[in-house]
């Protein structure tokens, strides 16, 4: 079966337990479309981050099947990028060096690296901060840098684990806008699939094309959303969708976050 016909991410009867015997996923099944932003919400401890690490190839399922673009995801899959809560930036490297790191590891030509990094700094609004170290940047600038370091590699799958959770509300909203815009205005945007874990119903509704609610039993229920991006927050439909998703979340997950 062709990868396009079965979706970008597919898992069936997926199960995973940690070494201490705690089972976090059991019999999980899903088929997530290519090119969409998929929001994943659920109570703490239900297995959201574990599913993300399985998709990244950092963990291996103990039962069931899991595929990304039609193949079992290997560790270090070239077309997968991951952004964690702590950004993953190297504090001893400048903004330019952090952006260029993955391209250098892939042994891209210096002229190509220079062009892509300079273009990304412009896109991130970080022009002029090329030589700044992460510790000299604001929280929002560091998060934009982390997003840019992932996107400069032109992935087809971007995995985000609560990337904006430590930021103040206004900075968080600006970065949500930036992430949505960067995904949709890039030439590779139609083929780029995002999965973002969040505890915020409002963030899930604003960013996602589809929202997946996971409960403590490791089950998933999915909802169509299709956010139109910036400007959506002041639309009546946004408020209605937030209320509807909150009601569904409380009914399906027990209301814990």
């Amino acid at each position: 079966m062709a990868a396009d016909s079965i979706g970008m991410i597919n898992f069936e009867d997926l199960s995973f337990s940690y070494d201490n015997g705690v089972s976090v996923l059991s019999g999980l099944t899903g088929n997530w479309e290519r090119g969409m932003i998929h929001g994943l919400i659920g109570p703490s401890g239900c297995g959201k981050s574990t599913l993300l690490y399985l998709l990244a190839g950092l963990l291996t399922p103990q039962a069931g099947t899991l595929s990304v673009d039609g193949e079992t995801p290997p560790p270090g899959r070239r077309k997968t990028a991951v952004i964690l809560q702590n950004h993953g930036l190297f504090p001893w490297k400048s903004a330019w060096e952090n952006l260029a790191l993955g391209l250098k590891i892939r042994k891209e030509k210096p002229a190509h690296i220079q062009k892509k990094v300079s273009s990304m700094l412009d896109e991130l609004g970080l022009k002029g901060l090329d030589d700044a170290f992460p510790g000299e940047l604001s929280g929002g600038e560091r998060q934009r840098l982390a997003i840019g370091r992932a996107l400069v590699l032109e992935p087809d799958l971007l995995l985000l684990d609560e990337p904006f959770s430590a930021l103040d509300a206004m900075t968080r909203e600006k970065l949500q806008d930036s992430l949505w815009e960067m995904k949709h205005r890039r030439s590779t945007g139609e083929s780029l699939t995002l999965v973002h874990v969040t505890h915020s119903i409002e963030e899930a509704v604003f960013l996602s094309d589809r929202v997946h609610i996971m409960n403590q039993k490791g089950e998933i229920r999915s909802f169509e959303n299709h956010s139109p991006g910036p400007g959506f927050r002041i639309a009546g439909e946004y408020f209605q969708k937030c209320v509807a998703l909150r009601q569904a979340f409380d009914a399906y997950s027990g209301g814990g976050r």
Side-chain angles (χ1 to χ4, degrees):
M1 186 180 294
D4 282 332
S5 66
I6 60 174
M8 179 62 177
I9 297 169
N10 299 274
F11 42 94
E12 186 171 355
D13 294 327
L14 185 66
S15 296
F16 182 84
S17 299
Y18 285 101
D19 291 339
N20 59 7
V22 175
S23 176
V24 290
L25 299 176
S26 179
L28 201 65
T29 295
N31 182 348
W32 296 358
E33 290 86 341
R34 184 186 311 275
M36 286 189 172
I37 300 180
H38 295 273
L40 183 58
I41 64 174
S44 297
C46 71
K48 302 183 299 297
S49 294
T50 298
L51 178 57
L52 211 69
Y53 299 153
L54 287 165
L55 293 173
L58 301 175
L59 297 174
T60 302
Q62 283 138 355
T65 60
L66 171 66
S67 68
V68 172
D69 198 22
E71 299 180 348
T72 301
R77 179 179 179 269
R78 187 179 180 88
K79 299 292 284 183
T80 297
V82 184
I83 301 177
L84 303 177
Q85 293 181 42
N86 63 359
H87 314 310
L89 299 172
F90 291 98
W92 59 88
K93 291 183 178 292
S94 68
W96 196 97
E97 291 169 332
N98 267 287
L99 284 174
L101 181 61
L103 296 169
K104 288 182 177 180
I105 290 173
R106 293 183 178 181
K107 302 187 185 304
E108 302 279 0
K109 294 181 179 179
H112 180 67
I113 294 174
Q114 180 67 47
K115 180 179 179 180
K116 292 200 74 171
V117 171
S118 295
S119 176
M120 183 57 68
L121 283 166
D122 277 341
E123 189 173 0
L124 296 170
L126 296 178
K127 187 83 171 170
L129 295 174
D130 314 36
D131 297 326
F133 293 97
E136 299 172 320
L137 301 175
S138 69
E141 289 169 338
R142 288 195 296 272
Q143 192 54 267
R144 273 185 280 155
L145 185 61
I147 292 170
R149 191 176 67 172
L151 291 180
V152 78
L153 299 175
E154 298 184 356
D156 62 9
L157 178 61
L158 178 57
L159 306 173
L160 305 101
D161 191 7
E162 297 189 68
F164 308 138
S165 61
L167 302 172
D168 65 85
M170 296 307 297
T171 301
R172 183 171 182 154
E173 288 189 0
K174 289 179 181 178
L175 283 171
Q176 291 166 1
D177 289 348
S178 296
L179 179 61
W180 191 97
E181 290 177 331
M182 291 179 75
K183 194 275 188 196
H184 287 86
R185 73 180 174 219
R186 298 177 67 80
S187 60
T188 56
E190 289 186 3
S191 60
L192 175 60
T193 304
L194 273 70
V195 179
H196 70 105
V197 170
T198 179
H199 279 94
S200 169
I201 286 172
E202 293 76 17
E203 181 170 273
V205 171
F206 174 76
L207 276 175
S208 308
D209 295 304
R210 182 162 294 160
V211 181
H212 310 278
I213 302 175
M214 182 182 290
N215 65 18
Q216 293 285 12
K217 298 177 182 177
E219 301 167 332
I220 288 182
R221 185 178 177 188
S222 302
F223 296 84
E224 296 292 330
N225 187 64
H226 298 292
S227 168
F232 190 33
R233 290 189 193 88
I234 60 174
E237 184 185 7
Y238 173 73
F239 175 74
Q240 293 166 4
K241 285 192 172 184
C242 286
V243 171
L245 185 61
R246 187 174 299 277
Q247 291 171 338
F249 181 91
D250 290 345
Y252 187 66
S253 71
R257 279 194 287 168

